[in-house]
């Protein structure tokens, strides 16, 4: 599955590089998530942040005995906000990439991701480069899926990028997309809903060795503290319980 997401170089280098500072000052940790990436992070009818990422964040904070606040932040500004010290960590299904590692540190992974194509039932689209030639294929902007499309298929398909995953789903449903390339886990969740009826995974999943971690500022000791807490909740069964709430298979 953010999983998953790849920022452009321009977004990553925005702002002045700030010196690292431990987020444990005052025993308060502010954690950012997107709030628009079901089932990992979303907003319920009461305006509360919920989802797998949020549950993992709360479990890690309990394990560390830390006082945490989880806040919503639009995806495009989520790394600049971390570097500007608006919050201390990002738990938002963010893929660990070489580009991001130049400007932030990451904890150990807390789940793994594949990419997959989604098409309408009966479309008979082959998700090979030749089979997709001339098709319109969508993905969320500034994500691993979007970057994969541009790098590997941009010379043969019409690539459409969206500010949110939900907007990509809307265009797929309306017929403005022939196919959607997505992190597999959020797409799996969407296909299980009424909104996803009439659509299905097509072709083989794309294994890009994607691991999802917690981003913190360069040099912040939260990196090690979160990594140790991840190991602890995996070992004591807390992670398994959260996983089972969202998926009938392990995503670790």
């Amino acid at each position: 599955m953010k999983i998953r997401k790849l920022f452009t170089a321009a977004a990553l280098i925005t702002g002045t590089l700030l010196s690292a500072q431990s987020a444990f000052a005052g025993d308060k940790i502010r954690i950012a998530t997107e709030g628009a990436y079901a089932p990992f992070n979303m907003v319920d009818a009461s305006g509360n942040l919920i989802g797998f990422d949020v549950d993992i964040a709360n479990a890690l904070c309990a394990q560390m005995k830390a006082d945490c606040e989880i806040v919503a932040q639009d995806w495009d500004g989520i790394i600049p906000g971390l570097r500007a010290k608006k919050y201390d960590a990002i738990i938002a299904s963010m893929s660990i990439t070489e580009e991001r590692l130049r400007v932030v540190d990451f904890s150990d992974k807390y789940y793994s991701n594949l990419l997959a194509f989604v098409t309408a039932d009966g479309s008979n689209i082959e998700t090979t480069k030749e089979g997709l030639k001339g098709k319109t294929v969508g993905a969320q902007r500034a994500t691993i899926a979007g970057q994969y499309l541009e790098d590997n298929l941009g010379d043969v398909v019409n690539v459409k990028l969206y500010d949110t995953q939900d907007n990509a789903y809307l265009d797929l449903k309306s017929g403005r997309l022939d196919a959607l390339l997505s992190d597999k886990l959020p797409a799996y969740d969407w296909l299980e809903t009424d909104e996803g009826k009439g659509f299905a995974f097509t072709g083989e999943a794309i294994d890009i060795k994607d691991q999802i971690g917690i981003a913190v500022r360069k040099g912040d000791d939260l990196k090690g503290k979160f990594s140790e807490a991840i190991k602890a909740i995996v070992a004591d069964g807390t992670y398994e319980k959260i996983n089972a709430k969202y998926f009938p298979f392990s995503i670790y």
Side-chain angles (χ1 to χ4, degrees):
M1 51 323 0
K2 218 230 246 313
I3 325 79
R4 133 183 131 56
K5 304 180 178 179
L6 184 67
F7 276 85
T8 62
L12 285 174
I13 62 176
T14 300
T16 303
L17 185 62
L18 300 170
S19 61
Q21 176 179 337
S22 172
F24 274 84
D27 295 320
K28 183 78 173 182
I29 305 173
R30 283 172 59 84
I31 298 170
T33 197
E34 182 185 10
Y37 196 66
F40 291 92
N41 53 79
M42 56 271 197
V43 179
D44 68 13
S46 300
N48 300 309
L49 287 165
I50 59 171
F52 180 88
D53 288 330
V54 177
D55 288 352
I56 289 292
N58 285 326
L60 295 175
C61 290
Q63 176 65 35
M64 296 187 297
K65 297 180 172 56
D67 179 14
C68 293
E69 178 186 8
I70 303 175
V71 299
Q73 169 66 52
D74 288 345
W75 184 256
D76 286 347
I78 205 164
I79 283 183
L82 175 66
R83 297 175 66 202
K85 300 184 180 179
K86 290 175 61 178
Y87 32 80
D88 308 299
I90 299 168
I91 303 182
S93 291
M94 182 172 283
S95 299
I96 302 169
T97 69
E98 291 299 323
E99 187 174 15
R100 289 180 181 138
L101 284 167
R102 291 200 290 269
V103 292
V104 297
D105 284 342
F106 278 96
S107 71
D108 292 347
K109 72 161 186 177
Y110 67 97
Y111 76 89
S112 302
N113 176 50
L114 299 169
L115 298 181
F117 286 99
V118 179
T119 65
D121 289 341
S123 64
N124 297 318
I125 292 174
E126 293 185 9
T127 54
T128 61
K129 191 166 187 176
E130 184 62 30
L132 290 169
K133 188 174 182 179
K135 304 293 186 184
T136 300
V137 185
Q140 187 175 356
R141 181 180 297 110
T143 66
I144 294 289
Q147 192 67 54
Y148 184 93
L149 272 185
E150 292 183 312
D151 290 348
N152 295 279
L153 296 170
D155 57 334
V156 298
V157 306
N158 175 28
V159 176
K160 292 190 68 175
L161 301 178
Y162 298 84
D163 56 345
T164 68
Q165 187 83 349
D166 285 343
N167 285 339
Y169 291 143
L170 286 173
D171 263 14
L172 182 65
K173 283 181 63 69
S174 70
R176 287 188 286 269
L177 291 177
D178 297 301
L180 171 69
L181 184 63
S182 171
D183 292 340
K184 187 171 184 178
L185 296 176
Y188 170 87
D189 180 74
W190 182 72
L191 290 170
E192 293 293 301
T193 68
D194 289 342
E195 289 296 312
K197 287 182 178 177
F199 295 87
F201 289 124
T202 301
E204 296 294 324
I206 303 168
D207 186 357
I208 52 172
K209 310 300 181 187
D210 190 20
Q211 296 189 339
I212 309 306
I214 299 167
V216 300
R217 285 185 289 277
K218 280 288 188 182
D220 197 318
D221 62 2
L222 272 176
K223 172 185 174 179
K225 293 178 185 295
F226 274 123
S227 293
E228 289 302 312
I230 290 167
K231 292 176 185 175
I233 67 169
V234 169
D236 70 12
T238 301
Y239 184 98
E240 184 179 4
K241 291 177 182 177
I242 295 171
N243 190 131
K245 180 178 174 182
Y246 297 94
F247 301 101
F249 48 83
S250 175
I251 69 171
Y252 183 70

